[in-house]
């Protein structure tokens, strides 16, 4: 029988059908100790996240960085906005190292970054990358001098830089000049189009200036953040055609819950499908008491469902209908999905390739057996009025039928046994 193609970890030659080959960008390497993360070049798309703790609290910040890293964030950004925060960055790095967490830290700087990096050399050295927003560095000569000071620190410490332009803090002088120039056109652009172009001009011109100041072209990442889906798509399509720096994607201020997830997915999926984007961040507003790791999981699921990377076994489950009055299949799907994600920190080392596994939990006989056969391992639970039995399919073949009140526990045991046999060193094929 024909099996669905496997998701790949990396490798541009094996992208899924319909996905454009990634644009050829300069490789930028972000390092901490023996850990290195490549952005751009032929590297897979990198997942980033950001803490929301007060960086002046080194314990809370280090703990959240650890949580994000364990969830799968490959770079973690922290706010460095006050002398108190800058003073604690080295302590945060030391605490992470003592916990065995080697994820590189990115410092997020705005109005006073030039002073903080100069006054706190331990901060400058402990960070693996700096994020600079040129629009928040003053005006005129002051902006130029502050920017130069930050680039000089980056050069001295051999740190890469993301030049991150944001439409909420765009260089007002640049925008005003470009609006004036637009007014003199025989066919003026819309104000929205001028703003999009100003974002791109700001990012690229500041990158060129950073190179003039001595920063390697292979140490520069660009981003142009906006909060509307169509604007983001338009900006990055244009930006990607005008430079070869690696690009960081993210819909800024995406919002809460399903709105933020849907908007981020709609924007990023279009760009990633076209081969645009080297790092991504999902900027979700956490629900009260919600985990910051949700943005990491959403980023992973975008990349995995598109077939660009694999992080954890995927569970296909039916939505339910009038044929499925029982909630058993919903509870089992939720239980199995949680179990697989919980096991991945251990499994990823013990069972290479397990992240590509597909599991199906179906609720009735209409599509259940067929979907289960297409998965690596699947179960078709009985719908309303059906015989109370649940056939299990392994590699397309029906192997056993489960009955009774212990179906969930028995199926989980079957999944674990399958993982050991198929993905263990002796069972790989």
């Amino acid at each position: 029988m024909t099996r669905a193609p496997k998701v790949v970890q990396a490798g541009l030659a094996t992208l899924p059908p319909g996905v454009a080959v990634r644009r050829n960008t300069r490789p930028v390497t972000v390092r901490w100790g023996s850990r290195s993360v490549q952005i751009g070049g032929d590297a897979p798309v990198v997942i980033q996240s950001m803490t929301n703790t007060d960086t002046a609290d080194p314990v809370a910040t280090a703990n959240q960085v650890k949580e994000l890293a364990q969830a799968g964030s490959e770079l973690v950004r922290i706010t460095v906005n006050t002398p108190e925060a800058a003073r604690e960055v080295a302590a945060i790095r030391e605490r992470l190292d003592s916990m065995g967490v080697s994820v590189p830290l990115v410092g997020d700087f705005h109005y006073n970054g030039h002073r903080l990096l100069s006054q706190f050399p331990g901060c400058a050295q402990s960070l693996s990358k700096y994020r600079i927003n040129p629009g928040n560095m003053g005006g005129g000569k002051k902006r130029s001098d502050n920017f130069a000071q930050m680039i000089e620190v980056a050069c001295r410490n051999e740190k890469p830089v993301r030049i991150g332009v944001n439409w909420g803090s765009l260089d007002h002088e640049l925008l005003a000049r470009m609006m004036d120039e637009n007014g003199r056109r025989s066919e003026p652009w819309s104000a929205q189009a001028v703003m999009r172009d100003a974002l791109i001009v700001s990012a690229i011109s500041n990158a060129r200036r950073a190179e003039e100041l001595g920063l390697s072209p292979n140490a520069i990442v660009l981003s142009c953040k906006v909060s509307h889906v169509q604007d983001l798509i338009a900006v990055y399509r244009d930006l990607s055609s005008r430079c070869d720096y690696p690009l960081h994607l993210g819909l800024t201020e995406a919002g809460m819950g399903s709105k933020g997830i849907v908007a981020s997915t709609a924007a990023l999926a279009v760009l990633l499908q076209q081969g645009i984007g080297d790092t991504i961040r999902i900027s979700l507003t956490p629900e009260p008491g919600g985990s910051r790791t949700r943005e990491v999981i959403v980023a992973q699921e975008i990349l995995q469902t598109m077939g660009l990377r694999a992080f954890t076994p995927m569970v296909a489950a039916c939505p339910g209908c009038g044929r499925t009055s029982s909630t058993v299949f919903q509870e089992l799907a939720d239980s199995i999905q949680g179990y697989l994600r919980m096991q991945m920190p251990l499994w990823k080392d013990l069972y290479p390739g397990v992240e590509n596994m597909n599991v199906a939990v179906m609720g009735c006989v209409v599509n259940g057996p067929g979907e289960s056969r297409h998965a690596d391992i699947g179960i078709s639970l009985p719908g309303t009025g059906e015989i109370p039995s649940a056939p299990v399919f392994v590699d397309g073949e029906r192997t056993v039928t489960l009955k009774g009140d212990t179906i969930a526990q028995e199926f989980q045991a079957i999944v674990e046994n399958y993982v050991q046999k198929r993905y263990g060193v002796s069972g790989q094929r």
Side-chain angles (χ1 to χ4, degrees), residues 198-404:
L199 286 165
I200 296 167
V201 169
S202 176
I204 293 176
S205 62
N206 278 286
R208 300 288 189 240
R209 177 143 192 268
E211 288 188 45
E212 293 170 1
L213 291 166
L215 190 63
S216 167
N218 292 92
I220 299 172
V221 178
L222 297 187
S223 68
C224 290
K225 294 286 198 74
V226 298
S227 57
H228 294 162
V229 170
Q230 295 297 345
D231 285 318
L232 191 81
I233 293 170
V235 166
Y236 274 88
R237 280 176 172 166
D238 198 357
L239 177 61
S240 69
S241 71
R242 290 159 69 173
C243 73
D244 60 359
Y245 299 109
L247 303 181
H248 171 78
L249 301 185
L251 190 73
T252 191
E253 287 89 41
M256 294 184 71
S258 60
K259 184 270 178 183
I261 293 171
V262 170
S264 294
T265 304
L268 270 59
V270 170
L271 293 167
L272 292 168
Q273 187 79 6
Q274 296 173 357
I276 299 169
D278 301 284
T279 72
I280 64 171
R281 189 225 168 172
I282 309 302
S283 300
L284 296 180
T285 303
E287 296 174 358
S291 174
R292 192 71 164 176
T293 60
R294 192 178 189 193
E295 66 178 50
V296 179
I297 293 170
V298 171
Q300 289 180 333
E301 290 177 345
I302 289 173
L303 293 176
Q304 184 151 356
T305 54
M306 292 185 69
L308 299 175
R309 292 188 66 182
F311 301 94
T312 191
M314 299 294 286
V315 177
C318 72
C321 64
R323 293 184 294 268
T324 56
S325 58
S326 169
T327 60
V328 173
F329 80 95
Q330 298 167 332
E331 294 161 358
L332 180 56
D334 183 63
S335 172
I336 287 296
Q337 187 163 279
Y339 166 75
L340 293 172
R341 185 168 286 280
M342 185 176 64
Q343 293 297 109
M344 276 311 295
L346 175 65
W347 281 1
K348 68 181 180 181
D349 294 324
L350 289 178
Y351 306 117
V354 69
E355 65 275 4
N356 296 306
M357 183 175 70
N358 292 304
V359 180
V361 178
M362 306 305 294
C364 77
V365 298
V366 174
N367 292 316
E371 290 284 355
S372 296
R373 283 192 179 96
H374 284 299
D376 294 311
I377 182 168
I379 185 170
S380 180
L381 293 159
T384 304
E386 295 175 12
I387 297 172
S389 62
V392 174
F393 298 83
V394 176
D395 291 331
E397 302 295 331
R398 182 169 175 167
T399 59
V400 66
T401 299
L402 304 181
K403 299 179 181 179

Side-chain angles (χ1 to χ4, degrees), residues 412-428:
Q412 182 171 305
I414 291 171
V415 170
E416 185 159 359
N417 184 59
Y418 178 82
V419 169
Q420 293 172 353
K421 287 186 175 180
R422 178 167 181 178
Y423 298 100
V425 174
S426 61
Q428 290 185 33

Side-chain angles (χ1 to χ4, degrees), residues 54-55 78-87 89 107-121 123-124 127 130-139 142-143 145-151 153:
D54 183 352
T55 308
I78 61 175
T79 299
V80 188
N81 59 335
T82 64
E84 292 76 17
R87 189 177 292 113
V89 169
D108 189 66
F109 296 98
H110 288 275
Y111 311 97
N112 57 355
H114 58 292
R115 289 197 301 270
L116 297 178
L117 282 172
S118 299
Q119 293 171 5
F120 298 93
C123 169
L127 294 168
Y130 308 152
R131 191 271 191 170
I132 301 174
N133 183 345
N136 281 339
M137 302 184 71
K142 180 180 179 182
R143 177 189 296 114
D145 291 346
N146 293 346
F147 181 83
Q149 192 172 341
M150 293 190 76
I151 295 301
V153 175

Side-chain angles (χ1 to χ4, degrees), residues 47-70 73-81 85 88-89 92-93 96 99 101 103-110 127 162 281-286 290-296:
I47 291 176
Q48 297 192 35
S49 61
M50 185 175 183
T51 60
N52 61 357
T53 56
D54 183 352
T55 308
D57 183 341
V59 175
T61 302
N63 287 342
Q64 191 174 73
V65 170
K66 179 181 178 181
E67 183 183 18
L68 290 166
Q70 289 179 333
S73 184
E74 293 155 309
L75 297 174
V76 177
R77 186 156 48 114
I78 61 175
T79 299
V80 188
N81 59 335
E88 296 297 340
V89 169
I92 292 167
R93 182 72 267 174
L96 289 168
M99 294 189 291
V101 180
V103 64
L105 294 177
V106 180
D108 189 66
F109 296 98
H110 288 275
L127 294 168
R162 171 159 70 96
R281 189 225 168 172
I282 309 302
S283 300
L284 296 180
T285 303
S291 174
R292 192 71 164 176
T293 60
R294 192 178 189 193
E295 66 178 50
V296 179

